[in-house]
mmCIF file of all heavy atoms in Angstrom:
data_model
loop_
_atom_site.group_PDB
_atom_site.id
_atom_site.type_symbol
_atom_site.label_atom_id
_atom_site.label_comp_id
_atom_site.label_asym_id
_atom_site.label_seq_id
_atom_site.Cartn_x
_atom_site.Cartn_y
_atom_site.Cartn_z
ATOM 1 N N GLU S 1 14.617 7.749 -11.005
ATOM 2 C CA GLU S 1 14.500 7.026 -12.285
ATOM 3 C C GLU S 1 15.847 6.412 -12.678
ATOM 4 O O GLU S 1 16.000 6.067 -13.859
ATOM 5 C CB GLU S 1 14.060 8.047 -13.330
ATOM 6 C CG GLU S 1 12.773 8.724 -12.992
ATOM 7 C CD GLU S 1 11.560 7.771 -12.872
ATOM 8 O OE1 GLU S 1 11.507 6.826 -13.660
ATOM 9 O OE2 GLU S 1 10.792 7.946 -11.960
ATOM 10 N N LEU S 2 16.737 6.248 -11.794
ATOM 11 C CA LEU S 2 18.087 5.782 -12.141
ATOM 12 C C LEU S 2 18.104 4.280 -12.634
ATOM 13 O O LEU S 2 18.764 3.955 -13.604
ATOM 14 C CB LEU S 2 19.051 5.946 -10.935
ATOM 15 C CG LEU S 2 20.473 5.550 -11.154
ATOM 16 C CD1 LEU S 2 21.112 6.574 -12.150
ATOM 17 C CD2 LEU S 2 21.245 5.532 -9.883
ATOM 18 N N VAL S 3 17.350 3.456 -11.892
ATOM 19 C CA VAL S 3 17.345 2.022 -12.224
ATOM 20 C C VAL S 3 15.955 1.492 -12.310
ATOM 21 O O VAL S 3 15.033 2.010 -11.687
ATOM 22 C CB VAL S 3 18.218 1.245 -11.248
ATOM 23 C CG1 VAL S 3 19.676 1.628 -11.284
ATOM 24 C CG2 VAL S 3 17.706 1.316 -9.836
ATOM 25 N N GLU S 4 15.769 0.338 -12.932
ATOM 26 C CA GLU S 4 14.487 -0.313 -13.013
ATOM 27 C C GLU S 4 14.324 -1.440 -12.052
ATOM 28 O O GLU S 4 13.303 -2.066 -11.994
ATOM 29 C CB GLU S 4 14.221 -0.814 -14.443
ATOM 30 C CG GLU S 4 13.833 0.253 -15.427
ATOM 31 C CD GLU S 4 15.002 1.140 -15.940
ATOM 32 O OE1 GLU S 4 16.148 0.653 -15.963
ATOM 33 O OE2 GLU S 4 14.746 2.300 -16.201
ATOM 34 N N GLY S 5 15.359 -1.745 -11.235
ATOM 35 C CA GLY S 5 15.210 -2.782 -10.279
ATOM 36 C C GLY S 5 16.506 -2.839 -9.394
ATOM 37 O O GLY S 5 17.569 -2.476 -9.847
ATOM 38 N N LEU S 6 16.324 -3.345 -8.196
ATOM 39 C CA LEU S 6 17.428 -3.496 -7.225
ATOM 40 C C LEU S 6 17.478 -4.955 -6.721
ATOM 41 O O LEU S 6 16.435 -5.509 -6.423
ATOM 42 C CB LEU S 6 17.242 -2.604 -6.042
ATOM 43 C CG LEU S 6 17.561 -1.133 -6.148
ATOM 44 C CD1 LEU S 6 17.013 -0.317 -4.951
ATOM 45 C CD2 LEU S 6 19.000 -0.895 -6.331
ATOM 46 N N LEU S 7 18.700 -5.473 -6.596
ATOM 47 C CA LEU S 7 18.931 -6.815 -6.051
ATOM 48 C C LEU S 7 19.839 -6.603 -4.885
ATOM 49 O O LEU S 7 21.010 -6.261 -5.041
ATOM 50 C CB LEU S 7 19.596 -7.683 -7.101
ATOM 51 C CG LEU S 7 19.966 -9.086 -6.640
ATOM 52 C CD1 LEU S 7 18.787 -9.844 -6.076
ATOM 53 C CD2 LEU S 7 20.600 -9.848 -7.748
ATOM 54 N N LEU S 8 19.267 -6.834 -3.675
ATOM 55 C CA LEU S 8 20.043 -6.627 -2.440
ATOM 56 C C LEU S 8 20.300 -7.964 -1.745
ATOM 57 O O LEU S 8 19.383 -8.608 -1.256
ATOM 58 C CB LEU S 8 19.254 -5.660 -1.528
ATOM 59 C CG LEU S 8 18.841 -4.377 -2.147
ATOM 60 C CD1 LEU S 8 18.036 -3.550 -1.121
ATOM 61 C CD2 LEU S 8 20.070 -3.601 -2.646
ATOM 62 N N LEU S 9 21.562 -8.380 -1.786
ATOM 63 C CA LEU S 9 21.949 -9.664 -1.218
ATOM 64 C C LEU S 9 22.560 -9.419 0.153
ATOM 65 O O LEU S 9 23.485 -8.671 0.313
ATOM 66 C CB LEU S 9 23.031 -10.319 -2.147
ATOM 67 C CG LEU S 9 22.600 -10.527 -3.603
ATOM 68 C CD1 LEU S 9 23.824 -10.930 -4.421
ATOM 69 C CD2 LEU S 9 21.489 -11.523 -3.713
ATOM 70 N N SER S 10 21.979 -10.053 1.178
ATOM 71 C CA SER S 10 22.453 -9.912 2.534
ATOM 72 C C SER S 10 22.526 -8.456 2.979
ATOM 73 O O SER S 10 23.559 -7.985 3.395
ATOM 74 C CB SER S 10 23.843 -10.580 2.730
ATOM 75 O OG SER S 10 23.760 -11.907 2.491
ATOM 76 N N TYR S 11 21.440 -7.703 2.782
ATOM 77 C CA TYR S 11 21.423 -6.314 3.160
ATOM 78 C C TYR S 11 21.778 -6.113 4.592
ATOM 79 O O TYR S 11 21.156 -6.775 5.481
ATOM 80 C CB TYR S 11 20.032 -5.708 2.880
ATOM 81 C CG TYR S 11 20.005 -4.184 3.103
ATOM 82 C CD1 TYR S 11 20.405 -3.315 2.114
ATOM 83 C CD2 TYR S 11 19.622 -3.700 4.326
ATOM 84 C CE1 TYR S 11 20.389 -1.966 2.388
ATOM 85 C CE2 TYR S 11 19.612 -2.331 4.582
ATOM 86 C CZ TYR S 11 19.987 -1.488 3.606
ATOM 87 O OH TYR S 11 19.999 -0.110 3.814
ATOM 88 N N PRO S 12 22.735 -5.274 4.935
ATOM 89 C CA PRO S 12 23.182 -5.078 6.349
ATOM 90 C C PRO S 12 22.205 -4.105 7.015
ATOM 91 O O PRO S 12 22.516 -2.934 7.182
ATOM 92 C CB PRO S 12 24.555 -4.491 6.176
ATOM 93 C CG PRO S 12 24.535 -3.726 4.877
ATOM 94 C CD PRO S 12 23.603 -4.484 4.006
ATOM 95 N N LEU S 13 21.135 -4.639 7.481
ATOM 96 C CA LEU S 13 20.064 -3.832 8.094
ATOM 97 C C LEU S 13 20.525 -3.059 9.347
ATOM 98 O O LEU S 13 20.164 -1.933 9.602
ATOM 99 C CB LEU S 13 18.883 -4.728 8.433
ATOM 100 C CG LEU S 13 17.580 -3.992 8.799
ATOM 101 C CD1 LEU S 13 17.138 -3.074 7.681
ATOM 102 C CD2 LEU S 13 16.553 -5.042 9.057
ATOM 103 N N HIS S 14 21.383 -3.691 10.100
ATOM 104 C CA HIS S 14 21.987 -3.063 11.299
ATOM 105 C C HIS S 14 23.299 -3.832 11.608
ATOM 106 O O HIS S 14 23.473 -4.939 11.135
ATOM 107 C CB HIS S 14 21.042 -3.130 12.519
ATOM 108 C CG HIS S 14 20.625 -4.530 12.901
ATOM 109 N ND1 HIS S 14 21.457 -5.459 13.467
ATOM 110 C CD2 HIS S 14 19.407 -5.144 12.743
ATOM 111 C CE1 HIS S 14 20.807 -6.556 13.674
ATOM 112 N NE2 HIS S 14 19.575 -6.400 13.244
ATOM 113 N N PRO S 15 24.161 -3.193 12.407
ATOM 114 C CA PRO S 15 25.374 -3.873 12.819
ATOM 115 C C PRO S 15 25.005 -5.118 13.646
ATOM 116 O O PRO S 15 24.037 -5.047 14.430
ATOM 117 C CB PRO S 15 26.200 -2.850 13.635
ATOM 118 C CG PRO S 15 25.609 -1.564 13.221
ATOM 119 C CD PRO S 15 24.175 -1.781 12.888
ATOM 120 N N PRO S 16 25.765 -6.187 13.576
ATOM 121 C CA PRO S 16 25.479 -7.363 14.414
ATOM 122 C C PRO S 16 25.380 -6.953 15.912
ATOM 123 O O PRO S 16 26.224 -6.253 16.399
ATOM 124 C CB PRO S 16 26.687 -8.278 14.206
ATOM 125 C CG PRO S 16 27.109 -7.891 12.799
ATOM 126 C CD PRO S 16 26.901 -6.441 12.704
ATOM 127 N N GLY S 17 24.340 -7.444 16.578
ATOM 128 C CA GLY S 17 24.118 -7.197 17.988
ATOM 129 C C GLY S 17 23.623 -5.767 18.333
ATOM 130 O O GLY S 17 23.456 -5.441 19.507
ATOM 131 N N ARG S 18 23.331 -4.966 17.262
ATOM 132 C CA ARG S 18 22.831 -3.585 17.562
ATOM 133 C C ARG S 18 21.569 -3.323 16.700
ATOM 134 O O ARG S 18 21.579 -2.483 15.787
ATOM 135 C CB ARG S 18 23.935 -2.557 17.206
ATOM 136 C CG ARG S 18 25.129 -2.757 18.155
ATOM 137 C CD ARG S 18 26.262 -1.824 17.976
ATOM 138 N NE ARG S 18 26.105 -0.663 17.148
ATOM 139 C CZ ARG S 18 27.082 -0.153 16.384
ATOM 140 N NH1 ARG S 18 28.234 -0.728 16.345
ATOM 141 N NH2 ARG S 18 26.860 0.917 15.696
ATOM 142 N N PRO S 19 20.483 -4.091 17.011
ATOM 143 C CA PRO S 19 19.293 -3.978 16.191
ATOM 144 C C PRO S 19 18.662 -2.565 16.190
ATOM 145 O O PRO S 19 17.800 -2.244 15.317
ATOM 146 C CB PRO S 19 18.335 -4.993 16.739
ATOM 147 C CG PRO S 19 18.860 -5.258 18.121
ATOM 148 C CD PRO S 19 20.329 -5.016 18.052
ATOM 149 N N ALA S 20 18.952 -1.747 17.143
ATOM 150 C CA ALA S 20 18.363 -0.404 17.202
ATOM 151 C C ALA S 20 19.029 0.564 16.178
ATOM 152 O O ALA S 20 18.476 1.601 15.891
ATOM 153 C CB ALA S 20 18.529 0.211 18.586
ATOM 154 N N ASP S 21 20.233 0.207 15.689
ATOM 155 C CA ASP S 21 20.946 1.068 14.752
ATOM 156 C C ASP S 21 20.526 0.697 13.303
ATOM 157 O O ASP S 21 21.365 0.311 12.486
ATOM 158 C CB ASP S 21 22.471 0.897 14.937
ATOM 159 C CG ASP S 21 22.930 1.391 16.294
ATOM 160 O OD1 ASP S 21 22.222 2.150 16.943
ATOM 161 O OD2 ASP S 21 24.014 0.956 16.720
ATOM 162 N N LEU S 22 19.282 0.930 12.958
ATOM 163 C CA LEU S 22 18.794 0.563 11.639
ATOM 164 C C LEU S 22 19.284 1.483 10.531
ATOM 165 O O LEU S 22 19.525 2.680 10.754
ATOM 166 C CB LEU S 22 17.258 0.583 11.627
ATOM 167 C CG LEU S 22 16.590 -0.498 12.481
ATOM 168 C CD1 LEU S 22 15.083 -0.296 12.545
ATOM 169 C CD2 LEU S 22 16.890 -1.875 11.965
ATOM 170 N N ARG S 23 19.521 0.840 9.421
ATOM 171 C CA ARG S 23 20.047 1.533 8.256
ATOM 172 C C ARG S 23 18.881 1.597 7.206
ATOM 173 O O ARG S 23 18.967 1.044 6.093
ATOM 174 C CB ARG S 23 21.206 0.849 7.640
ATOM 175 C CG ARG S 23 22.397 0.784 8.627
ATOM 176 C CD ARG S 23 23.436 -0.177 8.184
ATOM 177 N NE ARG S 23 24.595 -0.140 9.073
ATOM 178 C CZ ARG S 23 25.442 -1.149 9.179
ATOM 179 N NH1 ARG S 23 25.272 -2.257 8.529
ATOM 180 N NH2 ARG S 23 26.497 -1.022 9.977
ATOM 181 N N THR S 24 17.832 2.256 7.549
ATOM 182 C CA THR S 24 16.571 2.240 6.765
ATOM 183 C C THR S 24 16.095 3.616 6.379
ATOM 184 O O THR S 24 15.081 3.726 5.640
ATOM 185 C CB THR S 24 15.446 1.490 7.550
ATOM 186 O OG1 THR S 24 15.217 2.234 8.769
ATOM 187 C CG2 THR S 24 15.763 0.102 7.809
ATOM 188 N N ALA S 25 16.724 4.682 6.729
ATOM 189 C CA ALA S 25 16.233 6.051 6.517
ATOM 190 C C ALA S 25 15.915 6.316 5.091
ATOM 191 O O ALA S 25 14.956 6.986 4.722
ATOM 192 C CB ALA S 25 17.193 7.074 7.077
ATOM 193 N N HIS S 26 16.665 5.721 4.157
ATOM 194 C CA HIS S 26 16.523 6.013 2.688
ATOM 195 C C HIS S 26 15.455 5.101 2.050
ATOM 196 O O HIS S 26 15.066 5.360 0.925
ATOM 197 C CB HIS S 26 17.881 5.898 1.983
ATOM 198 C CG HIS S 26 18.374 4.482 1.980
ATOM 199 N ND1 HIS S 26 18.935 3.883 3.060
ATOM 200 C CD2 HIS S 26 18.467 3.600 0.977
ATOM 201 C CE1 HIS S 26 19.297 2.670 2.732
ATOM 202 N NE2 HIS S 26 19.014 2.450 1.502
ATOM 203 N N LEU S 27 15.103 4.004 2.670
ATOM 204 C CA LEU S 27 14.247 3.053 2.007
ATOM 205 C C LEU S 27 12.888 3.618 1.533
ATOM 206 O O LEU S 27 12.429 3.222 0.463
ATOM 207 C CB LEU S 27 13.991 1.846 2.943
ATOM 208 C CG LEU S 27 15.280 0.997 3.255
ATOM 209 C CD1 LEU S 27 14.928 -0.205 4.117
ATOM 210 C CD2 LEU S 27 16.043 0.579 2.022
ATOM 211 N N PRO S 28 12.254 4.529 2.292
ATOM 212 C CA PRO S 28 10.951 5.052 1.749
ATOM 213 C C PRO S 28 11.073 5.848 0.454
ATOM 214 O O PRO S 28 10.100 6.149 -0.215
ATOM 215 C CB PRO S 28 10.513 6.033 2.908
ATOM 216 C CG PRO S 28 11.147 5.446 4.128
ATOM 217 C CD PRO S 28 12.471 4.936 3.669
ATOM 218 N N LYS S 29 12.309 6.136 0.054
ATOM 219 C CA LYS S 29 12.511 6.913 -1.179
ATOM 220 C C LYS S 29 12.766 5.970 -2.382
ATOM 221 O O LYS S 29 12.895 6.465 -3.506
ATOM 222 C CB LYS S 29 13.713 7.860 -1.044
ATOM 223 C CG LYS S 29 13.481 8.927 0.001
ATOM 224 C CD LYS S 29 14.701 9.785 0.172
ATOM 225 C CE LYS S 29 14.479 10.786 1.363
ATOM 226 N NZ LYS S 29 15.749 11.414 1.701
ATOM 227 N N LEU S 30 12.817 4.687 -2.160
ATOM 228 C CA LEU S 30 13.046 3.748 -3.265
ATOM 229 C C LEU S 30 11.804 3.649 -4.135
ATOM 230 O O LEU S 30 10.674 3.438 -3.654
ATOM 231 C CB LEU S 30 13.439 2.364 -2.812
ATOM 232 C CG LEU S 30 14.833 2.284 -2.128
ATOM 233 C CD1 LEU S 30 15.048 0.858 -1.554
ATOM 234 C CD2 LEU S 30 15.907 2.616 -3.165
ATOM 235 N N THR S 31 11.976 3.749 -5.432
ATOM 236 C CA THR S 31 10.818 3.597 -6.390
ATOM 237 C C THR S 31 10.988 2.351 -7.307
ATOM 238 O O THR S 31 10.069 2.024 -7.978
ATOM 239 C CB THR S 31 10.707 4.851 -7.244
ATOM 240 O OG1 THR S 31 11.914 5.037 -7.971
ATOM 241 C CG2 THR S 31 10.395 6.093 -6.374
ATOM 242 N N ALA S 32 12.174 1.764 -7.301
ATOM 243 C CA ALA S 32 12.402 0.579 -8.129
ATOM 244 C C ALA S 32 11.985 -0.686 -7.417
ATOM 245 O O ALA S 32 12.112 -0.811 -6.204
ATOM 246 C CB ALA S 32 13.903 0.514 -8.501
#
């Protein structure tokens, strides 16, 4: 309940050239 919306500009989904190293573990917990 912390925020009512998120604005993510150029989200760094993974390091360049390393698409297997995803930074997504927390995304299913987003409610905003």
Side-chain angles (χ1 to χ4, degrees):
E1 303 300 320
L2 185 67
V3 296
E4 282 76 30
L6 284 169
L7 175 58
L8 306 179
L9 306 170
S10 299
Y11 185 84
L13 192 57
H14 58 70
R18 295 181 14 216
D21 295 339
L22 292 174
R23 299 165 174 158
T24 58
H26 67 287
L27 296 183
K29 297 177 187 169
L30 289 176
T31 59

